[in-house]
Amino acid sequence: PEEVTKKFFAGMGNGYAKILGIIIAAGVFAAGLRAAGVIEVFVNYLTHANEVAKLGGSIGPFALAVLTGSGDAAAFAFNEAVTPHAAKFGMQIDNLGYLAMMAAGIGRQASPLAGGIILLSGIAAVSPVEVVKRTAPAAVVMLISVYFLC
């Protein structure tokens, strides 16, 4: 029991460290975008194109989650960098933040890089791409639904 307990908590610590690493990486990514001026350009564009803000708040985090395999990283990066400016494009901060969070979570389910997808594909003995071929259409439908509900 002593050895099992040590391995159990070592595994928990390793998993927790990876999650924190993703969150920290998202913050660094957002800071890099801000330092490069990308966020300022994006916010200025959305300020003058209010109708695009909601679309950007859904598709942006969704695409970032698909590319990175992490809904948390995508949501944190978007919400840290763009969401505080929501009032400038005629939206409420909590509505844009919620939309970004939901879109990023849905995008994770359409990514072959997501940990859950990799785990599931390993259990099923198939490629993560084969799993995503089935989850991605549903994810797109869910994204459209969230867009219209928010």
Side-chain angles (χ1 to χ4, degrees), residues 6-138:
K6 287 180 181 179
K7 287 186 179 185
F8 174 76
F9 284 109
M12 285 180 56
N14 188 24
Y16 187 66
K18 289 179 181 178
I19 296 299
L20 282 178
I22 289 171
I23 293 169
I24 291 167
V28 171
F29 179 69
L33 289 176
R34 196 175 300 113
V38 174
I39 299 301
E40 184 179 335
V41 169
F42 188 62
V43 168
N44 285 337
Y45 173 73
L46 292 178
T47 302
H48 296 94
N50 292 351
E51 65 280 354
V52 180
K54 189 174 178 183
L55 194 59
S58 58
I59 293 176
F62 179 85
L64 189 56
V66 169
L67 291 173
T68 64
S70 172
D72 288 340
F76 280 119
F78 187 88
N79 283 331
E80 183 178 319
V82 179
T83 302
H85 305 282
K88 293 180 184 176
F89 8 100
M91 295 186 73
Q92 293 181 341
I93 290 175
D94 55 342
N95 289 347
L96 182 58
Y98 178 76
L99 177 61
M101 178 202 61
M102 292 300 293
I106 294 167
R108 175 182 54 222
Q109 302 312 315
S111 174
L113 302 174
I117 299 292
I118 292 170
L119 178 67
L120 179 65
S121 65
I123 292 170
V126 297
S127 164
V129 174
E130 290 300 315
V131 175
V132 168
K133 284 180 184 178
R134 287 151 182 83
T135 60

